[in-house]
Amino acid sequence: MFNLLRMDLYRLKRSKSVYMGLAGMMVMVGFCYWFLWLLVTSGGRDLALKMEMDAALDSGVLDGYTSIMMFRDTGMDGGMYCSVLGIMVAIFVCGDFQNGFIKNIMALHRDRWKYVVSKMISGGILTFCYMAVQLVFCLILNRLALGELNIPYTSLSDSLFYLAQAWLLTTAFSTLMIMLCVTTRSMAAGVLLALVLGSGMLVVALSALSGLFHADGWSLYTLYFNLTNAPSSFTGLGDLRGFAVGAIFLVVYGVLGAAAIRMRDI
């Protein structure tokens, strides 16, 4: 198991797609920060007018705004983070099947569930690294900002509470993608599913449809809505729902993934 995990981490470190995904996230962070600068600062307003953009000066938009909220708005709440993460997982897992590398792995590791567990751990490490780099980049941009755009920092306890919950939910999502990829074994299908599920398009559509019949309560227990509506601080036991949902789905998708890879020949 350890050798399999070490090999997966080595391949992730050497994968160009991992760094391309990270670069895409950084571009989104920079774009969101630039847009906020246009919206709330006088200098941004002047630039917007020169560019013939309609950006109303509204410094009040930062009232109660903190660094962790900026981190959330740069992709975590909107589904971009999970979409990118899902695509990276799809490329990583489905690539093993398309290039035949899975046969070499299974020749050395007869217990196929170890393959899924190794990918789950690798997915958890990948999402941790992605979140850490994105958060640091947000804090750096905030540190470099001047005057009206300097966003107050979130307290350490609140930051850790939100980040731990977000990490567990995104790790559960990466496990979902692993389960789907070992089932379909198609990179095209994996990438498509990452976009549809990661962005929340499917969940939002089904929630809206079931809402017509007042039966949309199930959406409160999905990964997408728990990540989107994750509380930024702990105020009561109800705020721990995201941890419970993430942990349950992590186990369920892991078990289903291990079962799926055993049901078909490699």
Side-chain angles (χ1 to χ4, degrees):
M1 168 65 74
F2 177 75
N3 289 334
L4 185 58
L5 176 61
R6 185 174 59 180
M7 178 181 61
D8 283 341
L9 294 178
Y10 176 80
R11 292 170 58 210
L12 278 176
K13 186 177 69 173
R14 303 278 294 182
S15 174
K16 294 181 180 179
S17 60
V18 170
Y19 298 100
M20 291 174 62
L22 181 60
M25 290 184 181
M26 298 303 98
V27 170
M28 178 58 67
V29 170
F31 177 79
C32 291
Y33 217 89
W34 177 74
F35 182 78
L36 188 62
W37 179 75
L38 287 177
L39 184 65
V40 303
T41 66
S42 56
R45 171 62 176 167
D46 293 339
L47 179 60
L49 290 175
K50 293 179 181 178
M51 299 173 60
E52 298 183 353
M53 295 174 59
D54 185 17
L57 179 62
D58 184 12
S59 58
V61 75
L62 292 181
D63 291 345
Y65 207 68
T66 64
S67 58
I68 206 66
M69 294 180 183
M70 185 65 198
F71 170 76
R72 297 180 61 155
D73 288 345
T74 56
M76 192 66 69
D77 287 356
M80 178 188 171
Y81 182 92
C82 282
S83 295
V84 173
L85 177 65
I87 292 173
M88 294 303 103
V89 172
I91 293 174
F92 187 49
V93 176
C94 294
D96 288 347
F97 291 92
Q98 291 193 355
N99 59 27
F101 189 62
I102 186 69
K103 294 181 180 180
N104 296 330
I105 296 176
M106 291 298 103
L108 297 175
H109 303 276
R110 294 294 182 178
D111 296 324
R112 295 186 180 182
W113 62 268
K114 292 182 179 180
Y115 175 84
V116 174
V117 173
S118 176
K119 289 294 187 288
M120 289 172 60
I121 298 174
S122 299
I125 294 174
L126 179 63
T127 188
F128 175 82
C129 293
Y130 270 4
M131 288 178 61
V133 173
Q134 185 175 342
L135 177 62
V136 169
F137 190 55
C138 284
L139 295 177
I140 290 175
L141 289 179
N142 188 45
R143 184 67 176 178
L144 295 176
L146 300 174
E148 301 154 283
L149 193 53
N150 198 267
I151 300 170
Y153 293 106
T154 308
S155 67
L156 180 60
S157 58
D158 288 346
S159 296
L160 292 177
F161 175 79
Y162 172 77
L163 293 172
Q165 188 170 187
W167 175 82
L168 184 57
L169 290 167
T170 52
T171 300
F173 178 77
S174 71
T175 304
L176 167 62
M177 290 305 307
I178 293 169
M179 184 268 291
L180 293 173
C181 288
V182 297
T183 302
T184 64
R185 304 185 181 183
S186 168
M187 189 174 299
V191 171
L192 179 61
L193 288 169
L195 292 173
V196 172
L197 298 176
S199 64
M201 288 189 292
L202 180 61
V203 175
V204 171
L206 292 177
S207 178
L209 181 62
S210 59
L212 298 175
F213 306 97
H214 306 288
D216 57 343
W218 61 271
S219 63
L220 298 176
Y221 302 96
T222 60
L223 293 175
Y224 175 78
F225 278 105
N226 273 277
L227 183 59
T228 300
N229 301 317
S232 298
S233 61
F234 177 74
T235 58
L237 292 179
D239 294 332
L240 298 177
R241 184 179 62 193
F243 286 97
V245 170
I248 291 173
F249 277 119
L250 182 67
V251 173
V252 170
Y253 291 142
V255 172
L256 291 177
I261 200 172
R262 295 179 59 186
M263 292 174 64
R264 295 173 57 189
D265 292 334
I266 298 300

